[in-house]
Amino acid sequence: CDDKDHTGRVKPVEEERSTYSHAMKIRAALTFLFSRIGSIGLTPWHLSPDQTKGIGNPSVSFAVSSYMISLRRRKAADGEAPTSARAMTPEVMQRLYEFNHRPENWSPRLYAPAQPGETPVAPGMRRLLLAVYTICFVCMLRSDEGLNIKVRNLSLAEGGKALKLTLDTRKTHQHGGIEPFVAHRLHKSEKHLCFVRAVSEWIKFAGIDLKDDEAYLFPKLGADGKPVKGERHTRMTSEAFLEAFRNNLVDIGIVPRSYGTHSFRRGGCQWLACDKRWPLRRICDWGGWSTEFSSMTIVKYLISWNDDPRERREDYLNPNRPPIVACPLCGRTCACS
């Protein structure tokens, strides 16, 4: 996280540095390691009365505390500011959808070992990625919440015309009581955002056993892109998903550094607010968020300097700006419709 490594060498400019928040997470992990696993507790590290050995938790020593304060000041002086993951946009989702649906990427094929220098992605992995993308985007879920979905969490609704997703727990609902997400097939113009299509395609391809309630919807995959036999009760890890997601962004020519697993949650929120024109109360109700607007947490998902602008500032009041894409449902093209 620092500008220098442990030897005092100044890191090159092109070498990436982790944030101050990352440094705090490292320290918290070490504090837990020493206090719980090492049974040292939270007593600050100090020398014994006879000055012969160190006693206490090294992670909460005076030296470490002073260093963290210094690191925070230097990070602030360098202009570092907390940055949210860049929001996923419907346009990027469409590009990912179209690339993954190319015949050479989508059609099933016999498994063949990768050649040196190649990192091929199996068609099964692409189907899984699109299913997770759309679920986390439309339902504004964290990646872990999407990957934790089991077969029993899905059911048909509205006489078989919709798919109902009922989560067991969420970060803010550890004891259940979560309202279900009832999703219908979106219009064909939004098929790249339709998780009903994506999930159905993934279940059909992977052969998910819908009678096994405890099986994960997104289990661990083998090199051939199929669920590993005997490990259907082991879900894909967040690290594996993030790596595959970022590799998928590289496929379409996007630098993935600013994107993370929270990108879909933020992007879905912006899509509902800007494209679907949902009021804030409906968005909060759909996402299971508090409608207590005093803290305005939702603003962090709607606005960030890190996001791609959807409209040029020069066109805000330009009556002669180019027409936008016509709505496939109502046919209107004006920005105020």
Side-chain angles (χ1 to χ4, degrees), residues 17 20 45 53 93 96 111 145 157 164 196 222 322:
R17 296 156 178 77
Y20 177 73
W45 185 91
K53 64 179 181 178
M93 292 281 286
L96 290 170
Y111 170 71
E145 294 169 346
K164 182 168 70 173
V196 175

Side-chain angles (χ1 to χ4, degrees), residues 186-211:
L186 299 179
H187 188 267
K188 61 181 180 180
S189 64
E190 294 181 317
K191 58 185 179 181
H192 55 286
L193 304 177
C194 179
F195 87 73
V196 175
R197 289 181 172 89
V199 170
S200 301
E201 181 68 35
W202 163 244
I203 291 177
K204 179 180 178 181
F205 179 87
I208 302 295
D209 186 3
L210 299 180
K211 296 181 180 180

Side-chain angles (χ1 to χ4, degrees), residues 1-4 11 15-24 26 67-82:
C1 304
D2 209 334
D3 292 333
K4 299 180 181 180
K11 296 179 181 177
E15 185 172 337
E16 184 178 358
R17 296 156 178 77
S18 297
T19 62
Y20 177 73
S21 297
H22 187 70
M24 293 178 63
I26 295 175
Y67 172 77
M68 293 298 293
I69 295 174
S70 173
L71 179 64
R72 181 177 59 183
R73 289 175 177 171
R74 283 182 281 116
K75 288 285 191 181
D78 291 338
E80 179 184 291

Side-chain angles (χ1 to χ4, degrees), residues 245-291:
F245 164 49
R246 288 180 169 170
N247 288 337
N248 208 183
L249 288 174
V250 173
D251 290 336
I252 60 174
I254 293 180
V255 179
R257 176 178 298 178
S258 57
Y259 289 89
T261 54
H262 233 53
S263 296
F264 300 100
R265 183 171 166 86
R266 295 192 64 243
C269 179
Q270 295 182 17
W271 172 64
L272 294 175
C274 302
D275 294 40
K276 293 299 184 182
R277 302 182 186 277
W278 282 19
L280 293 184
R281 186 171 296 276
R282 183 192 288 185
I283 296 176
C284 291
D285 181 62
W286 175 253
W289 298 342
S290 171
T291 54

